[in-house]
Amino acid sequence: MADRKTVSDIETASKEKNDAQTKQSVVDEQQGVVSGQTVTPDGPIMNIQVGENEKRVQPIQLGERLKELRLSQNLTLEEASQRTGLARSTLSKIENEQISPTFQALQKLAAGLGLDIPQIFAPPEEGPEANGRRDITRDGAGKPHPTTTYEHELLAVDISRKKMMPFKCTVRARRFEDFDGWVRHEGEEFLLVLTGAIAVYTEFYEPVTLKEGDSMYYDARMGHCLVSVSDTDAQVLWVTAP
Amino acid sequence: MADRKTVSDIETASKEKNDAQTKQSVVDEQQGVVSGQTVTPDGPIMNIQVGENEKRVQPIQLGERLKELRLSQNLTLEEASQRTGLARSTLSKIENEQISPTFQALQKLAAGLGLDIPQIFAPPEEGPEANGRRDITRDGAGKPHPTTTYEHELLAVDISRKKMMPFKCTVRARRFEDFDGWVRHEGEEFLLVLTGAIAVYTEFYEPVTLKEGDSMYYDARMGHCLVSVSDTDAQVLWVTAP
DNA sequence: AATTTGTATTTCCTATAAGAAACTTTTTAT
DNA sequence: ATAAAAAGTTTCTTATAGGAAATACAAATT
């Protein structure tokens, strides 16, 4: 019964603040920047590589790239000609940068080589070779990163350009009101409760309690925040994939 | 002293089997397929979405798309002409699908509109709107997936096309020899020891012991396997990002 | 070695892209 | 409402893409 009252109080607070909070959260996200390192309100985003990737897809030489693609499929100009419906001489001239193909020709090329057009501009696949990257973080030896609501311990900080960013987090927040508003960011997040218990507030669901061993996966663009509801501050593992 | 002997025995076994194991691991990976669902030797790969994404970036109408981009920047044909170095009449003909522009013209267009070429073909951004996906897995309530060496408990199985695949794993293996060879697959992996202790064998490093609270992030293309070294079988959290 | 086959490049001709100017439509100002 | 300005489209001419055939080069066969 007492639990019921508590939950209903939390729900009311959640609804009243939805609009104002969403506006403020943009400012709060800016404050997360620490010494040149972008930080999501939950934890850090280390090395957002999107901009760099986009820069890198610009090909230096279209002809060179197309020749590469043709040869990687072990095709002669004649075979490629039959597949693409473009004349051999045209393919030769394109590959040797003698002409600039029309978009229509590019479409034919892509279709004939079994590609989508953006793939023509993609960098070569990294290759099947293992690159051997590894980073071990001992218990308690992660990089500290405190905020007002969470006490983060960043893991695997020596590896840059990771697909995932893991961190342990001690949830100091005790009330939804400890947050200035919904926190949100790009990507998806997974969280596992390591010790204690938390109440999870998310923008489109009623709050839910998770205890040790429980986990949750969610789209991080949805407003979200955690509150400790156990005697001792809960500890969770958080993994972000931006 | 006794620990030292054990470690040195393991190291020797590791070195002797490197070449033969790498060959067999391809077959072992095939055996991981369970009821139509692809499984990495560590755990499952559910719904690899790469192919579908690539299909979706194909534009329907180039001219329409370019007009859209121009108007979204509030540019007249004249202004766009000045920025791109292409004649107004050319821009008009392109936008109205009367001609198919050369790649060189496309380059000028992209540069003038402040884009990279692939962005011309990109679908509109999904928007900052949260899509509200969430999946809660209670402690012990994940989907079981046993193998000979590990006992997996898949988490967040109701969400498809995830950027990460999390699962808890009880490590049954007790010796490196329990594995038929190195296991490897595309992507990156993060693991956190929840209980007990494990010895981590990886292709390019000496074996290392991790205990409760320790974590490791690594490129999964590198051969890898875990062995329990605690009295009770260790439990780890594993998160794969393919 | 010479000859044949396979592959790529160049040449010549046709089709079409691209630019400048003329024309048309739309928008703005009075 | 009309006139002027802005914006977009079409026409005509030049430049270049694209195709077929000829030529050149490399590899394989005799």
Side-chain angles (χ1 to χ4, degrees):
Chain A
M1 270 300 196
D3 280 346
R4 253 191 161 174
K5 254 185 190 170
T6 308
V7 169
S8 124
D9 289 340
I10 291 163
E11 284 168 2
T12 309
S14 172
K15 282 168 184 169
E16 282 173 358
K17 291 201 173 179
N18 269 353
D19 291 336
Q21 289 160 0
T22 304
K23 254 199 181 127
Q24 280 195 334
S25 68
V26 177
V27 179
D28 293 339
E29 281 183 358
Q30 297 288 350
Q31 291 171 350
V33 178
V34 177
S35 63
Q37 195 170 23
T38 308
V39 183
T40 69
D42 295 326
I45 293 184
M46 296 173 283
N47 299 319
I48 297 189
Q49 64 176 15
V50 177
E52 286 188 6
N53 271 347
E54 279 170 359
K55 273 272 165 125
R56 271 204 249 132
V57 298
Q58 188 76 19
I60 295 173
Q61 302 292 346
L62 176 66
E64 201 171 301
R65 172 67 176 153
L66 288 171
K67 185 167 187 179
E68 208 175 273
L69 286 167
R70 174 173 65 86
L71 294 179
S72 74
Q73 299 188 24
N74 266 307
L75 300 175
T76 63
L77 281 175
E78 178 59 40
E79 285 161 346
S81 169
Q82 282 168 17
R83 287 184 179 203
T84 59
L86 294 173
R88 261 184 323 165
S89 61
T90 299
L91 294 179
S92 179
K93 279 182 273 190
I94 292 172
E95 287 184 5
N96 289 292
E97 304 282 344
Q98 289 175 13
I99 63 172
S100 179
T102 58
F103 178 65
Q104 186 178 35
L106 270 185
Q107 282 180 312
K108 287 183 175 180
L109 261 170
L113 299 181
L115 304 169
D116 287 319
I117 288 183
Q119 284 174 287
I120 299 180
F121 309 114
E125 287 268 322
E126 275 196 6
E129 191 173 352
N131 79 358
R133 286 206 299 175
R134 183 191 80 167
D135 187 359
I136 291 170
T137 310
R138 295 294 177 179
D139 189 24
K143 181 176 175 185
H145 175 70
T147 71
T148 57
T149 48
Y150 306 122
E151 206 162 301
H152 300 299
E153 181 194 345
L154 315 184
L155 308 174
V157 295
D158 288 339
I159 298 195
S160 57
R161 298 185 185 180
K162 296 192 286 290
K163 295 187 178 189
M164 302 182 279
M165 273 145 294
F167 49 100
K168 294 183 188 177
C169 169
T170 304
V171 182
R172 299 291 183 206
R174 284 283 167 174
R175 302 169 310 158
F176 180 72
E177 291 76 19
D178 291 343
F179 297 88
D180 289 341
W182 289 120
V183 288
R184 70 179 80 240
H185 51 85
E186 283 295 320
E188 290 169 8
E189 266 178 353
F190 171 75
L191 72 85
L192 171 70
V193 181
L194 298 177
T195 62
I198 55 174
V200 183
Y201 294 82
T202 51
E203 195 175 354
F204 301 130
Y205 298 91
E206 297 300 336
V208 64
T209 301
L210 301 183
K211 58 186 197 342
E212 182 168 331
D214 294 345
S215 62
M216 187 174 99
Y217 192 107
Y218 58 97
D219 188 309
R221 289 175 296 181
M222 171 169 65
H224 54 276
C225 53
L226 312 184
V227 174
S228 276
V229 292
S230 41
D231 286 346
T232 60
D233 288 344
Q235 192 180 31
V236 303
L237 174 80
W238 233 326
V239 186
T240 303
Chain B
M1 272 304 197
D3 281 346
R4 255 197 162 166
K5 253 185 189 172
T6 306
V7 168
S8 130
D9 288 341
I10 291 165
E11 283 168 2
T12 309
S14 173
K15 279 166 183 170
E16 283 172 358
K17 292 199 170 182
N18 270 351
D19 293 335
Q21 290 160 359
T22 306
K23 253 196 183 137
Q24 281 196 335
S25 67
V26 176
V27 178
D28 294 340
E29 282 181 359
Q30 299 287 351
Q31 291 171 352
V33 178
V34 177
S35 62
Q37 193 168 21
T38 307
V39 183
T40 70
D42 296 326
I45 295 183
M46 298 173 280
N47 299 318
I48 300 188
Q49 67 176 7
V50 177
E52 285 189 6
N53 271 346
E54 280 169 1
K55 273 276 165 119
R56 271 205 246 130
V57 298
Q58 188 75 20
I60 295 171
Q61 301 292 346
L62 176 66
E64 201 171 301
R65 171 69 176 151
L66 287 172
K67 184 166 186 179
E68 208 176 271
L69 287 168
R70 174 173 67 85
L71 293 180
S72 75
Q73 301 188 24
N74 265 305
L75 299 176
T76 63
L77 281 174
E78 179 58 40
E79 285 161 343
S81 170
Q82 282 168 13
R83 288 186 179 200
T84 59
L86 295 172
R88 261 184 323 165
S89 61
T90 299
L91 294 177
S92 178
K93 280 182 272 189
I94 293 171
E95 286 184 5
N96 290 292
E97 304 283 345
Q98 289 176 14
I99 62 171
S100 178
T102 58
F103 178 64
Q104 186 177 36
L106 270 185
Q107 281 180 311
K108 287 183 175 180
L109 261 169
L113 298 181
L115 305 168
D116 288 320
I117 288 185
Q119 284 174 288
I120 300 179
F121 309 114
E125 288 268 322
E126 273 196 9
E129 193 174 349
N131 81 356
R133 284 206 299 177
R134 184 191 82 167
D135 187 358
I136 292 170
T137 309
R138 296 293 177 180
D139 189 23
K143 180 177 173 184
H145 174 70
T147 69
T148 56
T149 48
Y150 305 123
E151 205 162 301
H152 300 299
E153 180 194 345
L154 314 184
L155 307 175
V157 295
D158 289 338
I159 298 195
S160 57
R161 302 183 184 179
K162 294 190 288 287
K163 294 187 177 185
M164 303 181 281
M165 272 146 295
F167 48 101
K168 293 183 188 175
C169 168
T170 304
V171 182
R172 298 292 185 206
R174 284 284 166 173
R175 302 169 310 157
F176 180 72
E177 290 75 21
D178 290 343
F179 296 88
D180 287 340
W182 288 120
V183 289
R184 72 179 77 241
H185 52 85
E186 282 295 319
E188 292 169 7
E189 266 178 349
F190 172 74
L191 71 85
L192 172 71
V193 182
L194 298 177
T195 61
I198 55 173
V200 183
Y201 295 83
T202 50
E203 193 175 359
F204 301 130
Y205 299 91
E206 296 300 334
V208 64
T209 302
L210 300 184
K211 61 183 194 338
E212 181 170 331
D214 294 345
S215 63
M216 187 173 100
Y217 193 106
Y218 58 97
D219 188 310
R221 289 174 296 181
M222 171 170 66
H224 56 272
C225 53
L226 310 184
V227 174
S228 277
V229 294
S230 40
D231 286 345
T232 59
D233 289 343
Q235 195 181 28
V236 303
L237 172 80
W238 232 328
V239 187
T240 302

